[in-house]
Amino acid sequence: MMPEAAISVKVEPHVVYTTTPPDDFTDMKNEGLDGTSSPKLPSQYKVAVEELAAGNNSESQSWEGRTRWVKGILAAMFMGLVFGVVMDLGKVTLPLVIREQFIFRREIMLKMFLGASAGSAYCIAGVSLIFPLHFERAREEFMSTLQCKGLIPIILGAFILGCGMALSGSCPGMVLVQVGAGVPYSWVTLLGGLSAAALYGVVQPKIEPYLKAGKMKSPKFEDYGPLKKVPFWGLALALAVCMTIFIIILEVFFPWKEEVPAGTTPWKSVLPPELMGAIIGFLQVPAILLIQDTLGSSSAYMTYTSQPLTVCKNCQEVMKHLNGYRTGIINWWQAVYLLSAIGGAAIAANAVGTFRGFQGVTPGEAFAGGFCAIFGSRLASGCTSGHGLSGVALLSLKSMFAVPAMFAGGIAVGFLYFSSDPYNYTGRL
């Protein structure tokens, strides 16, 4: 049983909650979404509080908890396999494709990104109408990860993430797909990301006072001006339609068949990137209905690096922020999701004959890029999936600032690197 006294626990996004958690999301206060007050703890994090109080994995002690784990893990495995397959078949995870996107020589990555973001918006708009309670829970879960993070660290973190993408030719979710597809030195990118996650867990308490810079009146897009009169589903649907139109325009001017990487064949070893992206967007449905969360990747790195804390109780108290990712299905589903993506990518790459068929970046670029991508993601409380797919589709205003910052970082590094050393930026790939 939970003690009556208030319990302090550090969870994303760097908030010390000092209130007994509510039993339902309907009890959650809206105050604090702009970082001005301390909100109630979302019910998804109830297990984190209980485990710190009881010193064990309380979530696995009840039938309801076990059911939640089984359902969440199975859903994560399925979504991860699909994610790995379609990402590899779209060939957007190749370092060359990502790097050339940032210097506007190939639009495959942008098409897949827009397809996934539009697919997410279509699906979330539909879920909000058919399953409103599930939608509200998932949306509040996402908003709670940003509620005490100001706009400045989010933009700065997203910019650093973009820089890391251009260096490594990857991003938090793509790294595991590259490992499965046999992209050289992708495992070094993974090591860089894990190192960044561990470091962020250590330094987060020291930089926490600066993480509220740039407060917003409200993080929700529909809370401003005449948009207040438009229902969420209407705005999300309109956004999805706009992205769809933009995809069509891109396809007219830059046909995907003319942009596929050398060594691949359209409809045989590579499929339309916008279609592959849309399939990823549809994964929002099982995520919301079965896990009560939305797609994301970077927090999985925190879960991986927090596991050594299991054997050190004192470390758990000292590193409360990192320890907040150690247990619970709300943390572990993303970890399983990305691990399953390795298998999905390996299956797809071997099936179409592209396994280990492409060049990777240098080990130094891989590590530095992976480090920047994950450290930036944690600073921004989201990555290309969290902000770009889920946040934008959920009409998070902070995510709408984060996405351009990601591309700005990638474009800046891309053009600087390419102008000084075109061979090593794209030529050797």
Side-chain angles (χ1 to χ4, degrees), residues 129-188:
L129 289 172
I130 303 172
F131 302 99
L133 181 58
H134 288 80
F135 161 74
E136 289 296 338
R137 287 179 174 175
R139 194 184 194 199
E140 290 303 334
E141 178 62 39
F142 179 87
M143 293 297 181
S144 72
T145 66
L146 299 174
Q147 58 192 9
C148 287
K149 185 69 70 70
L151 195 59
I152 292 177
I154 288 178
I155 292 175
L156 176 61
F159 185 87
I160 295 172
L161 162 60
C163 294
M165 289 177 65
L167 279 175
S168 64
S170 187
C171 75
M174 291 182 186
V175 176
L176 283 299
V177 178
Q178 290 181 338
V179 170
V183 174
Y185 300 117
S186 54
W187 60 273
V188 179

Side-chain angles (χ1 to χ4, degrees), residues 14-39:
H14 335 296
V15 186
V16 177
Y17 293 97
T18 56
T19 178
T20 301
D23 291 328
D24 191 84
F25 270 84
T26 55
D27 294 328
M28 187 190 301
K29 293 181 179 179
N30 288 326
E31 297 86 32
L33 288 177
D34 60 352
T36 58
S37 62
S38 181

Side-chain angles (χ1 to χ4, degrees), residues 56-66 69:
N56 57 34
N57 191 348
S58 60
E59 189 176 35
S60 64
Q61 303 303 312
S62 67
W63 174 256
E64 180 183 359
R66 295 190 191 99
W69 263 94

Side-chain angles (χ1 to χ4, degrees), residues 90-397:
K91 293 296 181 284
V92 72
T93 55
L94 299 181
L96 175 65
V97 170
I98 296 173
R99 283 187 164 185
E100 287 196 330
Q101 176 64 70
F102 288 131
I103 57 173
F104 305 108
R105 287 196 168 189
R106 202 185 300 254
E107 307 300 328
I108 291 178
M109 173 186 157
L110 182 58
K111 291 178 186 177
M112 177 172 265
F113 177 81
L114 289 172
S117 190
S120 294
Y122 281 122
C123 290
I124 292 176
V127 170
S128 71
L129 289 172
I130 303 172
F131 302 99
L133 181 58
H134 288 80
F135 161 74
E136 289 296 338
R137 287 179 174 175
R139 194 184 194 199
E140 290 303 334
E141 178 62 39
F142 179 87
M143 293 297 181
S144 72
T145 66
L146 299 174
Q147 58 192 9
C148 287
K149 185 69 70 70
L151 195 59
I152 292 177
I154 288 178
I155 292 175
L156 176 61
F159 185 87
I160 295 172
L161 162 60
C163 294
M165 289 177 65
L167 279 175
S168 64
S170 187
C171 75
M174 291 182 186
V175 176
L176 283 299
V177 178
Q178 290 181 338
V179 170
V183 174
Y185 300 117
S186 54
W187 60 273
V188 179
T189 309
L190 178 60
L191 287 179
L194 293 173
S195 300
L199 178 63
Y200 187 81
V202 173
V203 304
Q204 186 276 336
K206 302 182 183 301
I207 64 175
E208 184 175 9
Y210 308 100
L211 297 178
K212 296 182 180 180
K215 296 178 182 178
M216 301 183 68
K217 181 179 179 181
S218 173
K220 297 179 178 179
F221 185 66
E222 72 270 25
D223 286 345
Y224 292 86
L227 297 178
K228 293 180 179 180
K229 299 180 181 180
V230 184
F232 169 87
W233 67 266
L235 291 173
L237 188 61
L239 179 63
V241 170
C242 289
M243 287 189 284
T244 302
I245 293 174
F246 190 35
I247 292 171
I248 294 173
I249 294 173
L250 283 175
E251 189 60 40
V252 170
F253 288 97
F254 308 99
W256 74 275
K257 291 183 180 180
E258 297 178 6
E259 293 194 313
V260 297
T264 62
T265 305
W267 297 109
K268 291 185 178 180
S269 56
V270 59
L271 296 176
E274 49 270 75
L275 175 60
M276 298 297 97
I279 294 174
I280 293 173
F282 294 152
L283 295 179
Q284 297 283 10
V285 175
I288 294 174
L289 299 185
L290 299 178
I291 308 175
Q292 297 179 2
D293 203 354
T294 48
L295 296 180
S297 300
S298 63
S299 65
Y301 290 77
M302 303 294 285
T303 300
Y304 298 142
T305 55
S306 66
Q307 296 314 301
L309 299 180
T310 303
V311 299
C312 180
K313 297 296 182 182
N314 291 334
C315 295
Q316 294 177 24
E317 291 297 327
V318 173
M319 305 177 69
K320 289 182 178 179
H321 176 77
L322 185 60
N323 190 58
Y325 295 91
R326 185 173 57 85
T327 59
I329 188 60
I330 198 62
N331 292 317
W332 267 101
W333 84 262
Q334 276 194 28
V336 173
Y337 168 74
L338 289 187
L339 289 175
S340 298
I342 297 177
I347 292 171
N350 280 282
V352 299
T354 59
F355 184 73
R356 294 182 179 175
F358 300 95
Q359 291 294 321
V361 299
T362 66
E365 292 170 343
F367 187 89
F371 186 94
C372 290
I374 295 302
F375 195 89
S377 294
R378 298 326 306 151
L379 185 61
S381 290
C383 59
T384 46
S385 295
H387 280 306
L389 307 190
S390 299
V392 170
L394 289 168
L395 302 185
S396 166
L397 201 55

Side-chain angles (χ1 to χ4, degrees), residues 386-420:
H387 280 306
L389 307 190
S390 299
V392 170
L394 289 168
L395 302 185
S396 166
L397 201 55
K398 292 179 179 179
S399 295
M400 294 180 183
F401 279 96
V403 172
M406 291 179 202
F407 278 91
I411 291 169
V413 170
F415 274 101
L416 285 173
Y417 193 166
F418 181 74
S419 62
S420 62

